[in-house]
Amino acid sequence: MTKPTFDMEAAIQALRDGKDLTGKDGILTPLIKQLTEAAMQAELEQHLQQDDSPNRKNGSTPKTVKSPSGSFELHTPRDRAGTFEPQIVKKHQTQLTDELERKIIALFSLGTSYQDIRCHIEDIYGIHVSNGTINSVTDKLLPELQAWRERELDAIYPIVWLDAIHYKIKEHGRFITKAVYTILGLNVEGKKELLGLYLSEHEGAHHWLAVLTDLYNRGVKDILIACVDGLLGFPEAIASIYPKTEIQHCIIHQIRNSLKYVASKNQKAFIADLKCVYKATTLAAAEMALDELEAKWGEKYPLVIKSWRNKWHTLSAYFKYPDYVRTAIYTTNAVEAVHRQFRKLTKTKGGFANENSLLKLLYAGMLQASERWTHPVQNWNLTLSQLSIHFEGRLDAHIEL
């Protein structure tokens, strides 16, 4: 067996001279090479001892191997019969460990471009990786993503936020805008959980119906409160699958939509009056403030007032709860925070080559974001008590009393 001939004194001197331990021409690269080749020789000798047929060593085959300590030429030993299968560095294996793959996926999860990933790997390890290699590594997320999208879910979620975000994806040679439907749930333990990511060409109640049907088929039999934007037909889509679910329209979405129809010179005064509506302490006070808003602005902006009147039942649902519950449900901020994380990942991307290239990036980003969702949301025990009262009996089988 070939013994390592690593020159320790030369390595120490190189270290004193400021030479890098790892990376291209790193001090440790020759040692890694020698130790690996020695271990493979030991593997071959053990194989020959256990082989009853006439067999012997038959030289070696060189190949370039990438390791975190740098690239080097590895001489893989052979046997005459061709029955030797090395295990330390297997046939066709070109990376010594999966550390590089983990590094590539970690960088990818931060939204790092392929070009920057290549530069980073080359700078740190002295290894050149192609876009094809990076794509092959990140594609390993796809089976994991599919399993995640098909996993069984809890039977009940006290609160669910639903919203969509839009991206450009290449199809048949041109980029088209598609909606990614995001469903964020709060489980009975008060912890956030992304229930699913769905892709469709358009955002609409019809497509949301398909999403909700999938949730039901994956085990979600009840939702207490669904927080949604102002999409037409959305409450009806939810009611068709979850007829007992309470709908809370997002107040922030409603305000934004209202301001589109208010002249810029009046917006400051209008918002001040509108704040008296949605910041009211009671439902009665809110309705009185809405009457005053209509008396002052109704003639000038009838469409805005009509919109608030038509949606008042679902816009005002949160008034029955104390402040700590209201904060959680009166907007879709929780799911929009997920979308802000997605936008950080995709801000340098003008468009995506296909659906998988987008979904695997969002999934990688979601895994990183969900690492912070290990604790219940604030005041969860109090919130759960309130929900148990307002939705009597529906939580009993799912919580420990």
Side-chain angles (χ1 to χ4, degrees):
M1 183 178 71
T2 304
K3 294 183 179 180
T5 57
F6 183 70
D7 191 335
M8 184 63 72
E9 291 185 5
I12 292 172
Q13 185 57 51
L15 192 59
R16 287 172 180 159
D17 293 339
K19 192 173 181 181
D20 291 335
L21 276 172
T22 61
K24 190 176 182 180
D25 301 322
I27 297 169
L28 292 180
T29 302
L31 177 61
I32 299 296
K33 167 183 165 63
Q34 291 169 14
L35 288 173
T36 306
E37 289 180 349
M40 294 179 74
Q41 284 289 346
E43 274 191 316
L44 175 58
E45 289 176 6
Q46 185 179 17
H47 172 75
L48 293 176
Q49 289 172 5
Q50 296 172 348
D51 194 348
D52 295 332
S53 62
N55 200 1
R56 62 179 188 273
K57 296 179 182 180
N58 188 33
S60 62
T61 302
K63 67 175 178 180
T64 301
V65 173
K66 301 170 183 177
S67 85
S69 296
S71 298
F72 58 86
E73 188 175 81
L74 180 72
H75 291 273
T76 303
R78 299 178 304 190
D79 64 326
R80 177 71 68 177
T83 55
F84 175 54
E85 293 282 347
Q87 297 302 307
I88 292 177
V89 182
K90 297 180 180 180
K91 287 183 178 180
H92 311 298
Q93 181 181 339
T94 58
Q95 292 186 358
L96 202 53
T97 71
D98 61 355
E99 182 179 339
L100 287 174
E101 290 191 1
R102 292 197 301 270
K103 188 68 174 178
I104 287 171
I105 289 176
L107 290 168
F108 177 72
S109 300
L110 295 172
T112 310
S113 68
Y114 278 18
Q115 180 180 351
D116 288 342
I117 291 175
R118 290 201 318 270
C119 293
H120 185 85
I121 296 297
E122 190 150 9
D123 183 50
I124 299 298
Y125 300 119
I127 296 171
H128 173 74
V129 290
S130 65
N131 282 357
T133 299
I134 296 172
N135 205 49
S136 296
V137 170
T138 56
D139 274 352
K140 292 183 179 181
L141 289 170
L142 292 175
E144 187 181 326
L145 165 64
Q146 190 59 30
W148 175 82
R149 294 175 77 185
E150 295 174 355
R151 78 196 188 283
E152 189 171 345
L153 298 172
D154 293 348
I156 187 170
Y157 286 88
I159 303 173
V160 170
W161 298 271
L162 306 98
D163 203 3
I165 186 172
H166 299 85
Y167 290 101
K168 291 189 180 298
I169 299 174
K170 197 170 187 178
E171 257 189 23
H172 308 300
R174 64 188 184 91
F175 285 97
I176 62 172
T177 299
K178 290 196 174 187
V180 176
Y181 298 86
T182 310
I183 301 94
L184 180 68
L186 203 62
N187 62 28
V188 293
E189 296 177 350
K191 297 177 182 178
K192 293 178 183 177
E193 179 185 343
L194 198 61
L195 307 185
L197 293 171
Y198 301 83
L199 207 57
S200 173
E201 287 192 20
H202 306 286
E203 183 184 5
H206 175 75
H207 296 289
W208 273 115
L209 182 60
V211 169
L212 293 163
T213 302
D214 182 71
L215 290 184
Y216 188 87
N217 291 337
R218 289 167 57 204
V220 183
K221 303 308 178 188
D222 196 8
I223 296 170
L224 301 187
I225 303 173
C227 310
V228 303
D229 64 13
L231 183 69
L232 190 65
F234 209 166
E236 291 77 10
I238 294 172
S240 68
I241 305 294
Y242 300 105
K244 296 194 294 182
T245 296
E246 181 175 279
I247 307 298
Q248 172 62 58
H249 263 125
C250 175
I251 294 295
I252 302 303
H253 275 87
Q254 180 69 12
I255 293 170
R256 289 175 188 158
N257 291 335
S258 297
L259 291 178
K260 293 177 183 177
Y261 302 97
V262 177
S264 55
K265 65 179 181 180
N266 294 326
Q267 285 187 0
K268 188 174 181 180
F270 185 86
I271 290 174
D273 293 335
L274 189 57
K275 189 175 289 187
C276 296
V277 178
Y278 66 87
K279 288 289 188 181
T281 55
T282 65
L283 178 61
E287 290 176 340
M288 187 179 298
L290 184 59
D291 289 340
E292 292 172 358
L293 185 76
E294 182 172 13
K296 183 175 179 179
W297 300 99
E299 289 187 13
K300 189 168 287 188
Y301 304 115
L303 288 177
V304 174
I305 302 301
K306 184 180 179 182
S307 176
W308 281 83
R309 291 291 189 192
N310 289 344
K311 297 177 183 176
W312 184 244
H313 176 67
T314 51
L315 284 169
S316 63
Y318 69 102
F319 281 112
K320 67 168 69 78
Y321 303 105
D323 287 344
Y324 50 84
V325 182
R326 293 185 190 188
T327 301
I329 67 172
Y330 88 107
T331 76
T332 54
N333 276 352
V335 69
E336 287 182 18
V338 176
H339 286 172
R340 284 194 292 274
Q341 178 72 16
F342 286 168
R343 288 189 183 96
K344 286 181 183 178
L345 296 177
T346 59
K347 63 183 178 182
T348 60
K349 317 286 192 300
F352 291 85
N354 50 56
E355 292 183 358
N356 281 342
S357 64
L358 169 62
L359 287 174
K360 70 182 179 182
L361 177 56
L362 298 185
Y363 174 67
M366 181 277 299
L367 289 176
Q368 192 166 69
S370 61
E371 290 177 0
R372 300 190 293 272
W373 300 342
T374 55
H375 300 290
V377 296
Q378 196 171 13
N379 297 311
W380 176 243
N381 288 336
L382 292 173
T383 299
L384 195 60
S385 297
Q386 284 286 322
L387 296 178
S388 297
I389 294 169
H390 285 282
F391 299 94
E392 187 177 357
R394 288 165 67 181
L395 282 167
D396 292 352
H398 307 284
I399 58 176
E400 295 182 7
L401 299 176

